Amino acid sequence: MTSAVMTYLAMGGYAAYVWPAYGVTLLVLGGLTLWCVGAYRRRQRELERQQRESGR
Amino acid sequence: MHRFANPARFMRLSAAILPWTAALSVVLLGLGIYLALFVAPPDYQQGEAVRIMYVHVPAAWLASFVYALVALTSAIALIWRHPLADIAAQSAAPLGAGFTLLCLVTGSLWGARMWGTWWVWDARLTSVLVLFFLYLGYIALVNAFDEPGRGARAGAILALVGVVNLPIIKFSVDWWNTLHQPASVFRLGGPTIAAAMLWPLLIMALGYTLLFATLLMVRMRTALLAAKLRALRLAEVEREAASLMPQQTALS
Amino acid sequence: MTRKRRRLIAVLAGLGMLGLATGLVLSAFSDNLVFFYSPTDLKEKPVPRGRELRIGGLVEAASLRHESDGKTVEFRVTDGKSDVPVTYSGALPDLFREGQGVVVEGKLDAAGAFRADTVLAKHDERYMPREVVEALKKSGHWREGEAQPEGQAQR
């Protein structure tokens, strides 16, 4: 069982190339997503605050 | 065109579409990564290293596709002055730069052991690096002006100039002898990739595309919210100035 | 910093980026667009001995010999018409195989043999599982080097 997992993780000797490739993919795609959604939420909050102030 | 270029309509339409593209991209990317890592067979030459291809090739496709979109919307903005076109181009560019960087890094990881080098200055690799610089140049140019309209116009012109690079990227592997291999999927005579490897690749590519569409809509909505915020603040400043005016005249 | 100055810097930065991009393309045009020469190119347009260059082709079948020192190899690079003997000592890329595409960097010596200091393996556009290749070979539909890297046999 564990040896099968180890064999899989070794990626036929390419573990040092395959896993970083998937890691960097997750980092870039996840990073872009967090960045876009974060900026959207910030603008939404700013707009709500401004609308409350303008409405006073 | 004008119907879709209406910001209010875009806000309504994107609010309706967004949850679907977001959910579908998560499902497809999850399924694609599962197929790429656990189901797809090792290659007869590359062994397990072929699994890098499933994250590299879609990134390469998106890098070019997004640039084509930036150039197209830039042209629309220059010629027809649609307010949404500039917003679309500027929202897409950083996403395209991200895909290009991903393409370069994953390609380097693949080449290190397969080719025996992290990088070579052949026509394909060089033209993709140029694409990355074009994205960076566009982003820098757009944000470097005090007056947003001028930055947008300068960026749009740069985006259009850079279009020459897209056919160079696509056909570099056919026109000149390169270290990079020729196309395997979009080629005359059909794909030269086994079905068991083609399906996971196409699912990953669809997942990347839907993620891009989702993030593009999020960024365009962000830009429209920012425009609304600026308008509200300007209106408030004007109202305050107007309410101060009579008192000032009374005092003097 | 005044606005004018900032605008000037912005324009210069943009132009600089474009210049850098174009410069990279042009430098690639001048000597790297042809990433390598074929053995036939070499025969037709002799290059000065001792000049650094790249040769691309297939590793000729049954030409690979390992020296007794354990790291030096000799093989022939062929494009179907002409071939060049190559010696190299060092680590070979994982895709290096007889019958497969290869690009070697180095110099021609006085005897017309190529001393490589770098060996790069070229991959072709075929992606297949091992079983499919074996099935194709069994049914006789497998053509070795059918989808060869360009600049080789067909040139």
Side-chain angles (χ1 to χ4, degrees):
Chain A
M1 168 59 199
T2 44
S3 81
V5 172
M6 292 307 281
T7 313
Y8 173 75
L9 288 178
M11 277 287 152
Y14 294 117
Y17 303 87
V18 173
W19 297 119
Y22 279 79
V24 88
T25 303
L26 232 58
L27 211 69
V28 170
L29 298 188
L32 282 177
T33 305
L34 289 181
W35 177 59
C36 294
V37 173
Y40 183 68
R41 294 258 159 84
R42 255 192 322 278
R43 281 279 171 281
Q44 240 177 351
R45 275 199 302 274
E46 275 177 345
L47 189 62
E48 274 163 20
R49 201 181 316 130
Q50 186 64 43
Q51 276 167 336
R52 271 202 305 278
E53 280 172 21
S54 303
R56 255 187 339 213
Chain B
M1 185 103 73
H2 265 290
R3 280 175 1 131
F4 296 105
N6 175 330
R9 190 184 292 265
F10 174 80
M11 286 303 269
R12 277 200 308 278
L13 215 69
S14 60
I17 301 171
L18 245 171
W20 296 98
T21 58
L24 203 55
S25 75
V26 169
V27 168
L28 285 173
L29 285 174
L31 176 67
I33 288 178
Y34 167 74
L35 291 174
L37 282 177
F38 297 100
V39 179
D43 182 73
Y44 78 113
Q45 293 283 352
Q46 310 161 49
E48 305 286 346
V50 72
R51 302 195 192 282
I52 295 172
M53 183 264 292
Y54 300 106
V55 289
H56 167 76
V57 172
W61 287 346
L62 263 288
S64 282
F65 169 72
V66 173
Y67 194 89
L69 192 74
V70 170
L72 182 71
T73 47
S74 290
I76 291 171
L78 278 177
I79 300 167
W80 290 286
R81 298 281 153 85
H82 277 307
L84 262 187
D86 270 327
I87 290 175
Q90 290 166 24
S91 301
L95 303 173
F99 286 119
T100 313
L101 183 67
L102 183 58
C103 166
L104 289 168
V105 173
T106 52
S108 194
L109 284 164
W110 184 87
R113 281 287 288 280
M114 294 294 111
W115 286 341
T117 181
W118 297 92
W119 182 264
V120 288
W121 295 96
D122 81 346
R124 169 58 73 81
L125 276 65
T126 307
S127 56
V128 173
L129 184 65
V130 167
L131 180 69
F132 185 60
F133 284 135
L134 280 172
Y135 275 125
L136 294 188
Y138 173 85
I139 294 165
L141 201 56
V142 163
N143 293 308
F145 286 81
D146 284 330
E147 201 189 315
R150 301 183 74 163
R153 206 158 307 158
I157 292 165
L158 174 64
L160 286 177
V161 169
V163 162
V164 291
N165 194 36
L166 289 184
I168 294 180
I169 292 175
K170 167 69 187 158
F171 296 110
S172 54
V173 288
D174 303 323
W175 290 343
W176 306 290
N177 50 29
T178 53
L179 186 63
H180 195 285
Q181 54 269 36
S184 299
V185 180
F186 298 116
R187 65 189 285 280
L188 294 170
T192 51
I193 169 169
M197 296 171 168
L198 184 57
W199 278 112
L201 176 62
L202 293 180
I203 287 169
M204 283 296 273
L206 203 56
Y208 272 55
T209 310
L210 281 168
L211 180 68
F212 164 70
T214 306
L215 296 183
L216 177 65
M217 282 190 278
V218 170
R219 276 182 57 76
M220 287 177 70
R221 290 176 65 87
T222 309
L224 289 173
L225 289 187
K228 200 169 168 187
L229 188 63
R230 272 197 304 275
L232 271 178
R233 280 179 180 158
L234 194 67
E236 182 148 16
V237 169
E238 276 168 2
R239 202 164 50 229
E240 270 167 20
S243 67
L244 283 175
M245 273 313 194
Q247 293 167 358
Q248 277 173 342
T249 43
L251 278 172
S252 65
Chain C
M1 204 187 292
T2 65
R3 282 185 189 180
K4 264 185 192 162
R5 201 185 164 83
R6 214 159 25 191
R7 257 180 261 144
L8 179 69
I9 290 171
V11 170
L12 289 180
L15 288 176
M17 276 295 179
L18 187 62
L20 181 66
T22 324
L24 279 172
V25 170
L26 287 181
S27 83
F29 256 98
S30 60
D31 49 10
N32 284 317
L33 273 190
V34 174
F35 189 65
F36 54 81
Y37 299 97
S38 71
T40 306
D41 289 341
L42 220 58
K43 286 257 156 61
E44 287 166 357
K45 293 169 285 184
V47 293
R49 305 283 135 128
R51 211 190 91 187
E52 192 79 22
L53 70 144
R54 296 196 194 93
I55 302 175
L58 297 180
V59 181
E60 197 171 280
S63 73
L64 181 64
R65 284 199 303 117
H66 291 266
E67 298 291 314
S68 49
D69 67 356
K71 54 177 188 161
T72 305
V73 289
E74 286 180 29
F75 54 91
R76 304 181 73 80
V77 174
T78 176
D79 59 3
K81 281 193 277 183
S82 335
D83 51 82
V84 177
V86 176
T87 58
Y88 171 72
S89 45
L92 289 166
D94 291 12
L95 286 181
F96 182 88
R97 247 152 253 173
E98 287 185 343
Q100 285 289 313
V102 74
V103 176
V104 292
E105 285 177 20
K107 294 170 184 155
L108 278 172
D109 68 11
F114 194 81
R115 305 207 166 274
D117 30 60
T118 311
V119 171
L120 303 173
K122 204 163 150 25
H123 183 53
D124 61 26
E125 66 269 44
R126 287 182 295 186
Y127 292 80
M128 271 170 216
R130 209 161 284 134
E131 305 84 75
V132 172
V133 174
E134 267 152 30
L136 281 173
K137 277 180 178 163
K138 212 171 280 174
S139 66
H141 286 297
W142 180 257
R143 273 167 290 173
E144 201 62 56
E146 169 196 31
Q148 271 167 14
E150 53 157 351
Q152 291 166 7
Q154 64 270 50
R155 288 267 161 108

